[in-house]
């Protein structure tokens, strides 16, 4: 699903999708929600829903492993803009 909100100079997009195939995620696919400012290329939030009980006990992923795997996939897909580090200004940008 996709939601869009327009707030002044921001274009907030919220996308929810299910990762696949389940075998790459320990036997069950996580549901991922990403929220970002499309106009300013600013990543706001990532929510991962993962049912550990449905995963194979020997392949279940921890919260940190899920985050690392998703961040690696996003990087491989070119979702992140390479360039200057704006993390020092993040608080000022959100205001």
């Amino acid at each position: 699903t996709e939601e869009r909100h327009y707030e002044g100079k921001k274009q907030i997009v919220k996308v929810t999708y299910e990762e696949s195939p389940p075998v790459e995620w320990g036997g069950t696919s996580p549901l991922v929600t990403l929220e970002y400012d499309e106009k300013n290329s600013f990543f706001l939030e990532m929510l991962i829903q993962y049912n550990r009980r449905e995963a194979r006990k020997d392949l279940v992923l921890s919260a940190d492993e899920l985050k690392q795997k998703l961040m690696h996939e996003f990087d491989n897909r070119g979702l992140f803009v390479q360039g200057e580090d704006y993390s020092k200004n993040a608080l000022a940008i959100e205001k």
Side-chain angles (χ1 to χ4, degrees):
T1 62
E2 182 176 307
E3 298 175 29
R4 292 182 172 267
H5 303 280
Y6 302 96
E7 304 171 8
K9 295 182 180 182
K10 298 178 183 177
Q11 294 180 4
I12 307 300
V13 180
K14 191 174 192 177
V15 178
T16 301
Y17 67 96
E18 186 173 0
E19 279 287 349
S20 62
V23 69
E24 292 184 17
W25 300 92
T28 186
S29 297
L31 188 65
V32 180
T33 300
L34 303 175
E35 188 171 342
Y36 58 95
D37 180 347
E38 186 173 51
K39 184 174 184 177
N40 298 297
S41 300
F42 194 78
F43 187 72
L44 300 171
E45 182 177 57
M46 175 172 61
L47 173 66
I48 306 167
Q49 295 174 306
Y50 180 73
N51 191 338
R52 297 171 56 89
R53 292 181 181 144
E54 290 182 4
R56 286 187 41 191
K57 290 181 183 183
D58 58 332
L59 298 175
V60 67
L61 300 173
S62 69
D64 195 45
E65 289 170 326
L66 286 165
K67 178 185 168 193
Q68 288 177 3
K69 186 170 175 58
L70 282 168
M71 297 301 278
H72 181 72
E73 284 196 16
F74 296 161
D75 194 37
N76 285 343
R77 293 178 187 169
L79 265 58
F80 299 117
V81 177
Q82 299 298 321
E84 192 172 338
D85 180 6
Y86 294 101
S87 61
K88 296 175 189 170
N89 302 328
L91 185 57
I93 292 171
E94 287 184 10
K95 292 181 180 181

